[in-house]
Amino acid sequence: MNERLALYKERFGQKWNQFSKKQKWMIVGISSFLLISLGLYIFIAAQPVYKPLYNQQLSEHEIGTIKQELESLKIPYQITGNGTGIEVPEAMAQDVIVDLAAKGIPSEAGFNSELFSSTLGVTDRQFDVMKKGALQQELQNLLKRVQGVRNAQVIITLPQESLWVTQTPETATASVIVEVEPGTRLDQNQINAMYLLVSRSVPKLPMENIAITDQYSNPLERTDGNESEGSLTAFKQQEEIKAEVERKIQQNLYNLLGTIMGRDKVVVHTFIKMNFDKENRVENLVQAPDQENNEGLIISSQRLSKAFSGQGAPPGGIAGTGDNTVPGYPGNNTQGSNSQYEELNDTINREVNRITRNITASPYKIEDITINVGVEPPVDGELDDATIESIRQVLRNVVHVTLSDQGMTLTQEQLDQRISVLPREFSGKVTLDESSSISQPLLWGVGALAVLALAAVGFLLLRRRRQAAEVEEDVPFADAATNTEVPELMYQEDGDHVVVRKQLEKLARSKPDEFVVLLRSWLAED
């Protein structure tokens, strides 16, 4: 056994001596790194994984009570969330929850059904107090689910039930204080949602009887849906739409005029006036199917004709007789006189088209536009009147097409008032912001990354050259040995010398570095 160990030690020493000093240090470093990494992995894996006891935040009082119980049971724990949460090892979490629940801890973690487990001997007043407390607790837990709300406190005032019918029935009220997470701001939708949750959870509680504030006594007011249109967010949206329309008009004009005059010879500025009023209207129109004669379709027709001729009382009686007798009136003659009577009655019912239109007008309308164009004259001359007039005609067409959609018919003078062409020399290079162009900081970043990449490649190449130079210094005749052919050794074919010679030849051709090291060791032994 000892001889075998000595043999292994001797072989290991021979193999170890074959490495250079640099290779030995590299082997030692890699082995040390692997051992340290393995030790750290074992240490980290041996540490227990902590898990929160409860998914909701608790008060400092409850955390203190749980902490005392865990210390008495000698269970490791960690307090998180600035004193609002506690964690224990994952393997012990379930047992700890059951043990704490058996002791009634925490009492504020959720709805305690033990309040209603036994109502024997409880008066109606006491039961109402217990019911209101349970409702308040459930509302607090509900509001804690809102993102950005750390804690909540709710006080409800319920109306007293009465047998008498009154004109103004009593309603409930609610006061809520929410503790907002640091650095978090509740948006208007979240505030409106909290008002809706409280109002729907308590009977006879209108939204105007709810007061919600944050921990700094700042009221969180509820707003209607129509009020959001006049908020700052709507204003920013309108400004963005206006800027986008102006940018597109400027970009189109710049592409057109810049192609003709030169990219650095034209600058375009556009200002528009937009109407963001949204109109909803209902039109009830009635029109005849026959537009030429303005007549509808006949759906029914009735014609009556009456005629009388002769002596006697005409239809309807003699005027001035009967109930309407007038003394001395010639009509008192009962014999009557020759008379004629004719009555025509023609009734026609026609059908018309009844059209109901629900129209929602677009809130984005361009009411007016002004375009200013600056053109730099050529170096060896000035802009002629024909070129300026051509540019003005292009601008007139843009203004005419833009405002014609609004039903505006502008004269030549009105179009000229909305455009201007300024032939002036520019003091600097013309630049136009484009959505598709690459920003200057991005270009600098790409350039810096390219420089770093080139530096890294150069460093690697230089390092490889240095390593190759060091190898050449350690083995000065390695290259020569690579290209030098090994002379044929003359040995008898029926001996072990042939096998040794072939192995040496194979080693010299395939691995000249190791062959040189082997020769050095033989020379050192001699």
Side-chain angles (χ1 to χ4, degrees), residues 273-510:
K273 179 182 178 182
M274 299 191 69
N275 184 4
F276 293 94
D277 295 338
K278 189 175 182 180
E279 180 183 0
N280 296 326
R281 68 177 184 270
V282 178
E283 295 181 352
N284 295 320
L285 305 179
V286 177
Q287 64 182 14
D290 188 358
Q291 298 294 335
E292 296 180 358
N293 300 325
N294 198 18
E295 293 181 354
L297 300 175
I298 298 176
I299 58 175
S300 63
S301 177
Q302 181 180 9
R303 176 172 294 181
L304 299 177
S305 178
K306 295 181 181 180
F308 174 78
S309 177
Q311 184 177 7
I318 301 174
T321 61
D323 296 336
N324 299 324
T325 302
V326 178
Y329 186 73
N332 289 334
N333 185 9
T334 58
Q335 296 298 324
S337 60
N338 294 329
S339 62
Q340 293 181 354
Y341 172 78
E342 183 178 0
E343 179 182 359
L344 297 176
N345 188 1
D346 194 358
T347 303
I348 300 176
N349 295 325
R350 298 178 181 270
E351 182 64 23
V352 296
N353 295 333
R354 302 181 184 275
I355 304 173
T356 301
R357 296 177 180 175
N358 296 322
I359 301 175
T360 301
S362 174
Y364 311 124
K365 296 180 180 179
I366 300 177
E367 292 185 344
D368 206 348
I369 181 173
T370 301
I371 303 177
N372 303 315
V373 177
V375 183
E376 185 178 16
V379 180
D380 54 351
E382 297 181 355
L383 289 175
D384 53 355
D385 295 339
T387 303
I388 296 178
E389 182 62 25
S390 300
I391 297 175
R392 294 179 66 86
Q393 185 61 37
V394 172
L395 301 182
R396 291 192 194 101
N397 295 336
V398 174
V399 174
H400 174 72
V401 173
T402 303
L403 298 182
S404 61
D405 295 338
Q406 310 302 326
M408 298 178 60
T409 303
L410 302 179
T411 61
Q412 183 77 12
E413 182 180 358
Q414 292 174 340
L415 291 175
D416 292 338
Q417 291 177 356
R418 289 169 170 80
I419 61 175
S420 62
V421 180
L422 306 176
R424 293 289 186 274
E425 293 183 0
F426 296 163
S427 59
K429 184 178 180 181
V430 179
T431 59
L432 186 67
D433 295 334
E434 300 182 10
S435 59
S436 60
S437 61
I438 302 176
S439 61
Q440 190 72 10
L442 183 59
L443 291 176
W444 282 105
V446 173
L449 290 177
V451 171
L452 290 176
L454 292 176
V457 172
F459 175 76
L460 291 176
L461 293 176
L462 182 60
R463 184 177 179 183
R464 288 185 179 181
R465 289 181 180 179
R466 288 181 179 179
Q467 291 178 354
E470 291 178 358
V471 172
E472 290 179 358
E473 291 177 359
D474 293 341
V475 188
F477 51 88
D479 295 337
T482 304
N483 299 324
T484 304
E485 295 182 359
V486 179
E488 295 291 339
L489 299 178
M490 301 303 295
Y491 292 102
Q492 296 181 0
E493 297 296 335
D494 55 351
D496 296 335
H497 305 84
V498 178
V499 179
V500 174
R501 179 176 62 82
K502 291 182 178 180
Q503 291 179 353
L504 291 175
E505 290 177 356
K506 184 178 179 181
L507 180 63
R509 291 190 180 92
S510 61

